Amino acid sequence: APGQFANDETFAASVPREVLRRTYSSDVLWTFLFPTSMSNLLAFLAIWFVFTVARILIAPLGYLSLILWFMFFGWYCAFRFEIIESAAGGGEDLPTAMGSRNLAADLVAPLVGWIVSWIVVMAPAALYVAFAVDQGILPLGGIAGLLEGGVRGVCMGSTADLPVLTVLIALGIAVWPMVVLCVAIGGFSTLYRPDLMVRTVLNTMPGYVTTILLVTATLLLEAIVGRAQGPGAICYYS
């Protein structure tokens, strides 16, 4: 967080030496090799098991299932934010998947933070959709088709007829890793310093481009799997 460190030297002094010596390529490689650690594999399987069981158990509960699903998703968002914080501090192992604080800290705040991170980066695209509908470029009934499947659906070509919207969404995806990192480490207050974000991206350009490619590849993979399993699966993955 910008307010924590007076200058770059103070920040560098706070980071473990082994982290400073590590190369980004080694971190990217570890992204694919993390299951080789038994603790990481168990944490990953625990997340998978909980969501699989939850999907089966809450499906018959009607509207209540939506509330319960948001609770599970909030817990999952907390887990993902902990991964970001741990990785930013030089950690290589997945954090524990079990919450240890309170309801607001474990469910509500992470859920809001994750959703808002996407709202921030997709706001320009949303404004363009409103403009397109107002100008008759996009029929009002076409909005539902754009939203189905979320960003992953867009990655699969649902906005091919709207090149401006495609560019705005692509830019949003490109900015999202930096935004969610800021929210995870410094909260929403860090979003008021876009100059620091731009400087960080410029100073880490090769690594940041690699991150964007990995995020995009993940979205595409989930979209392909969701489409293969049907519309319900697309909504589930989103």
Side-chain angles (χ1 to χ4, degrees):
Q4 286 185 261
F5 306 107
N7 50 54
D8 292 340
E9 289 74 20
T10 306
F11 173 76
S14 69
V15 181
R17 290 182 181 274
E18 59 272 16
V19 176
L20 294 176
R21 287 197 298 265
R22 259 189 359 224
T23 62
Y24 191 81
S25 57
S26 65
D27 283 340
V28 171
L29 179 61
W30 180 247
T31 300
F32 296 96
L33 297 179
F34 82 92
T36 57
S37 166
M38 183 57 67
S39 60
N40 286 343
L41 182 60
L42 291 176
F44 180 82
L45 291 176
I47 291 287
W48 174 82
F49 178 78
V50 168
F51 268 91
T52 301
V53 172
R55 186 186 183 192
I56 296 173
L57 293 180
I58 68 178
L61 300 180
Y63 289 108
L64 181 60
S65 65
L66 183 62
I67 298 175
L68 293 175
W69 188 255
F70 268 103
M71 293 178 63
F72 277 111
F73 190 68
W75 167 70
Y76 183 44
C77 289
F79 177 66
R80 289 193 283 188
F81 272 126
E82 287 185 14
I83 292 176
I84 295 173
E85 292 179 35
S86 173
E92 293 185 339
D93 293 325
L94 292 178
T96 175
M98 303 302 295
S100 58
R101 292 165 290 182
N102 54 59
L103 180 65
D106 278 339
L107 300 180
V108 179
L111 178 62
V112 171
W114 199 267
I115 293 175
V116 169
S117 71
W118 279 109
I119 291 177
V120 168
V121 299
M122 291 299 159
L127 291 175
Y128 177 77
V129 168
F131 170 79
V133 171
D134 181 66
Q135 297 297 313
I137 302 174
L138 176 68
L140 188 61
I143 297 178
L146 291 177
L147 296 179
E148 183 180 2
V151 177
R152 301 174 183 88
V154 172
C155 289
M156 295 297 291
S158 62
T159 63
D161 296 332
L162 297 169
V164 175
L165 181 59
T166 301
V167 170
L168 291 175
I169 291 174
L171 290 175
I173 294 175
V175 173
W176 179 77
M178 178 57 64
V179 170
V180 76
L181 174 65
C182 289
V183 173
I185 296 178
F188 295 114
S189 61
T190 57
L191 299 181
Y192 294 106
R193 295 296 307 274
D195 57 313
L196 291 177
M197 295 186 201
V198 172
R199 190 174 69 178
T200 301
V201 170
L202 293 177
N203 290 339
T204 59
M205 184 60 72
Y208 194 75
V209 170
T210 304
T211 300
I212 293 173
L213 293 176
L214 288 172
V215 170
T216 305
T218 302
L219 293 173
L220 286 171
L221 178 61
E222 291 183 343
I224 292 171
V225 173
R227 175 169 292 185
Q229 295 181 0
I234 293 178
C235 296
Y236 165 68
Y237 284 113
S238 301

